[in-house]
Amino acid sequence: MTDIVITEFMDEAAVASLSARYAVHHDPELFGKPDELARLVADIPALIVRNQTQVRGALLAGAKNLTVIGRLGVGLDNIDMEACAGRGIKVFPATGANSLSVVEYVIGTAMTLLRGAYFANAAMLAGEFPKTKLIGREIAGKRMGLVGFGAIARDAAAHARLLGMSIAAYDPYVPAGDPVWSNVERLELDALLATSDVISLHLPLTSETKGLIGSASFARMKPDAILINASRGGVMDEAALVEALKSGRLAGAALDVFEEEPLRGGAKLFAGTPNLILTPHIAGNTVESNGRVSGLVAERVIAALEGRT
């Protein structure tokens, strides 16, 4: 009988540590096999997922013996937390374990977009040498505006500051007197959008944040600003972003998250959009972070199954 089902990729060492104590079924593609997944979770006490597995509705209701869910990441919008709480199911995200990977993605992508020299392959291969067209900008001296000021955003601020950036942030849930605002300008959203050179979104997807960044937001941004979203796709209007880029109202953007993942039919929206980087929800996934995330989740799931907290 299976004790733990893992529906997406997990570090092999962590899987081995789980397998040493319990019967484990690990299939990195199981999230895409709904019938098999429903059958496997029917009697198990533990489930480990990433963000592509929707733990809600019929799947969650059918997992009659489920007591613990390990989340290989930090976002919880793919898990029905209310239903889990009602049934006493413990949910353990890997809080903090992939923060550095996300921060490096934000900083590295910001530098790529500001510099602009890395979009020259087609021209170079065509025999052109567009040197004067590709004179970009330095990141030092720019203002980073963080929409949301939780743990990852604070780490991003610390790294950006070391590169000579000034920092502003918007987060109505962090009190004005909190020490985390030291060396950070606390702004309202409209002011932050209007004055920042690099805007990075760090928001959970909730009823309050859904569609928060839309046409009016892009209209407030500086035309030479860039935007990075490595938080959740639903917090931003993707069509409004495309329009802002195509019309020159925004200088560049990078999206790691999308309202629909994978893009499927939505991919047509982004076709032909200039200065846009698209990546497959991978900002928090590196070799190193996968080891940390997987190890932490494995430890917490084992502790829960053994009655430790």
Side-chain angles (χ1 to χ4, degrees):
M1 179 179 172
T2 302
D3 300 306
I4 304 170
V5 168
I6 307 168
T7 66
E8 302 177 55
F9 70 91
M10 188 174 186
D11 183 70
E12 292 182 5
V15 175
S17 71
L18 291 166
S19 299
R21 294 173 171 84
Y22 299 97
V24 175
H25 181 96
H26 180 208
D27 178 355
E29 303 298 325
L30 186 58
F31 66 90
K33 306 170 185 176
D35 293 339
E36 183 179 353
L37 176 56
R39 177 179 59 79
L40 285 167
V41 303
D43 298 310
I44 59 167
L47 177 65
I48 297 177
V49 304
R50 286 190 182 270
N51 64 296
Q52 296 194 76
T53 308
Q54 296 298 314
V55 188
R56 61 180 73 255
L59 180 69
L60 184 56
K64 301 296 186 182
N65 297 326
L66 193 63
T67 61
V68 57
I69 299 171
R71 169 67 169 92
L72 296 164
V74 295
L76 297 173
D77 49 285
N78 62 311
I79 300 173
D80 187 337
M81 295 298 292
E82 185 177 351
C84 287
R87 289 176 50 185
I89 299 171
K90 298 176 181 177
V91 180
F92 295 107
T95 305
N98 67 352
S99 178
L100 180 59
S101 293
V102 177
V103 169
E104 289 189 353
Y105 176 95
V106 170
I107 297 294
T109 306
M111 295 178 81
T112 299
L113 288 168
L114 285 170
R115 192 64 188 263
Y118 307 102
F119 299 96
N121 281 25
M124 294 290 291
L125 293 172
E128 300 176 24
F129 208 69
K131 188 170 182 177
T132 56
K133 293 181 180 179
L134 297 176
I135 297 177
R137 295 173 286 163
E138 297 175 349
I139 199 168
K142 303 299 183 293
R143 167 177 278 197
M144 173 170 279
L146 299 159
V147 182
F149 201 48
I152 294 178
R154 295 169 196 176
D155 285 347
H159 282 73
R161 192 176 293 110
L162 292 174
L163 291 169
M165 301 188 79
S166 61
I167 313 298
Y170 162 75
D171 195 321
Y173 294 101
V174 181
D178 195 303
V180 299
W181 292 112
S182 177
N183 297 319
V184 176
E185 187 173 1
R186 186 175 187 266
L187 295 176
E188 293 301 317
L189 181 59
D190 287 354
L192 181 141
L193 297 176
T195 60
S196 297
D197 301 297
V198 177
I199 298 165
S200 185
L201 308 185
H202 296 270
L203 299 167
L205 180 59
T206 66
S207 58
E208 186 178 359
T209 63
K210 185 174 177 60
L212 179 66
I213 306 299
S215 298
S217 300
F218 292 116
R220 292 186 180 95
M221 295 178 192
K222 299 164 63 174
D224 61 353
I226 62 171
L227 179 139
I228 301 167
N229 187 12
S231 58
R232 286 294 179 268
V235 304
M236 186 197 66
D237 184 332
E238 294 169 352
L241 170 70
V242 168
E243 175 58 30
L245 289 168
K246 287 184 174 180
S247 66
R249 280 292 309 139
L250 191 68
L255 303 182
D256 186 55
V257 289
F258 305 88
E259 191 161 0
E260 180 187 34
E261 298 181 6
L263 291 178
R264 298 189 179 92
K268 296 179 181 178
L269 172 66
F270 300 106
T273 304
N275 300 324
L276 175 64
I277 296 172
L278 305 178
T279 54
H281 204 147
I282 203 168
N285 300 134
T286 59
V287 172
E288 295 84 357
S289 72
N290 185 39
R292 292 191 299 268
V293 165
S294 299
L296 177 60
V297 168
E299 290 174 5
R300 290 180 172 174
V301 168
I302 290 170
L305 291 176
E306 293 180 350
R308 298 180 284 114
T309 57

